[in-house]
Amino acid sequence: MTAPINVDPAELEKFSALAHHWWDPESEFKPLHQMNPLRLGWIDQIAGLKDKKIVDIGCGGGILADAMARSGAAEVLGVDLAKKSLQVAQLHALEAGTPHITYREISAEALAAEQPAAFDVVTCMEMLEHVPDPASVVHACANLVKPGGWVFFSTLNRNLKSFGLAIVAAEYILKMLPTGTHEYQKFLRPSELTRFCREAGLDVKASSGLQYNPLTGRYWLSQDCSVNYLLAAQRPVV
């Protein structure tokens, strides 16, 4: 009997409908384009991406995966279950001549069963708040990374401030994101994500908040993890 795939069909349809906008920096994906250099820099500072074998789980149209490949990674694999987004990612890689990058339509869990401990770095950004079972994805990421390797997550905290800023302000007032992009009950507190990591055998080593000023349109990293936050975890060397 085949195990059910950890995916919400409505979420796949939502992102598939927007797939043709992934590489438009003024589209619904503008926030991802703006924050991408910060995410990339933070990951590279901790793990060192040059000559590393990397997998980006829930890669979407490839914004982060493409940047990691261009940063000197030996190999980057982007995986997602939204076929249209992957097609856009593949087309962009061809047009831009991005080196050492491939894309596959496969779940994190299936890839972990196929290629355990195969990657130096695993990234999973802005994905956990869109799946039915985020703990399952965290476990898959832990199984994918080599001992001593790094796993990076980014997601949204669950509290009144994040509801006000990430949903009410971003989706309804500022129109930065399409209405319905996020569901508040799927947000993850850092303590919950840390527990998922610990249960998966990962040691959480660092975290960072991601701040945004709507007046200037500027993003920056800080120690405030009350809304958007990033988390770095390492698989111990046994």
Side-chain angles (χ1 to χ4, degrees):
M1 184 175 179
T2 303
I5 298 176
N6 183 19
V7 66
D8 182 341
E11 293 285 351
L12 282 187
E13 181 58 34
K14 184 190 304 179
F15 285 99
S16 293
L18 298 172
H20 59 293
H21 291 167
W22 269 107
W23 284 95
D24 179 356
E26 297 301 321
S27 72
E28 298 90 337
F29 297 107
K30 181 177 181 178
L32 291 183
H33 286 277
Q34 291 177 311
M35 68 176 66
N36 197 55
L38 293 171
R39 300 188 305 178
L40 178 67
W42 194 71
I43 293 167
D44 191 30
Q45 180 181 7
I46 293 173
L49 298 179
K50 185 173 176 57
D51 299 326
K52 297 292 175 64
K53 184 177 180 181
I54 304 167
V55 60
D56 185 25
I57 303 297
C59 66
I63 294 173
L64 177 61
D66 193 271
M68 291 193 292
R70 291 181 175 278
S71 71
E75 178 184 337
V76 177
L77 171 64
V79 303
D80 206 296
L81 290 173
K83 182 178 294 186
K84 290 182 180 179
S85 295
L86 287 175
Q87 291 171 340
V88 170
Q90 291 167 333
L91 180 59
H92 180 270
L94 286 172
E95 291 179 341
T98 305
H100 314 303
I101 192 165
T102 55
Y103 294 98
R104 285 185 63 187
E105 183 183 352
I106 188 172
S107 70
E109 291 86 350
L111 184 66
E114 177 188 299
Q115 299 187 49
F119 298 90
D120 300 298
V121 176
V122 178
T123 58
C124 181
M125 319 300 273
E126 285 81 45
M127 183 225 183
L128 294 177
E129 69 270 25
H130 296 289
V131 296
D133 187 357
S136 176
V137 175
V138 173
H139 275 265
C141 290
N143 291 333
L144 282 164
V145 74
K146 298 175 182 177
W150 289 90
V151 182
F152 295 89
F153 300 102
S154 70
T155 189
L156 285 156
N157 202 339
R158 189 175 70 255
N159 53 48
L160 288 178
K161 181 179 178 181
S162 67
F163 176 78
L165 293 179
I167 295 181
V168 177
E171 296 184 17
Y172 290 88
I173 298 175
L174 300 176
K175 304 294 184 181
M176 294 170 60
L177 301 169
T179 302
T181 296
H182 293 116
E183 296 178 43
Y184 176 70
Q185 64 270 23
K186 290 185 177 180
F187 290 2
L188 285 171
R189 295 189 179 102
S191 60
E192 294 169 331
L193 182 50
T194 297
R195 175 168 55 84
F196 293 160
C197 288
R198 185 172 61 249
E199 291 172 348
L202 296 172
D203 294 334
V204 174
K205 298 292 188 179
S207 62
S208 178
L210 187 63
Q211 308 297 305
Y212 174 70
N213 185 327
L215 298 178
T216 63
R218 186 175 74 90
Y219 286 86
W220 70 96
L221 298 178
S222 78
Q223 294 304 307
D224 183 357
C225 295
S226 59
V227 185
N228 295 80
Y229 68 96
L230 302 99
L231 187 149
Q234 191 172 30
R235 179 173 176 179
V237 178
V238 179

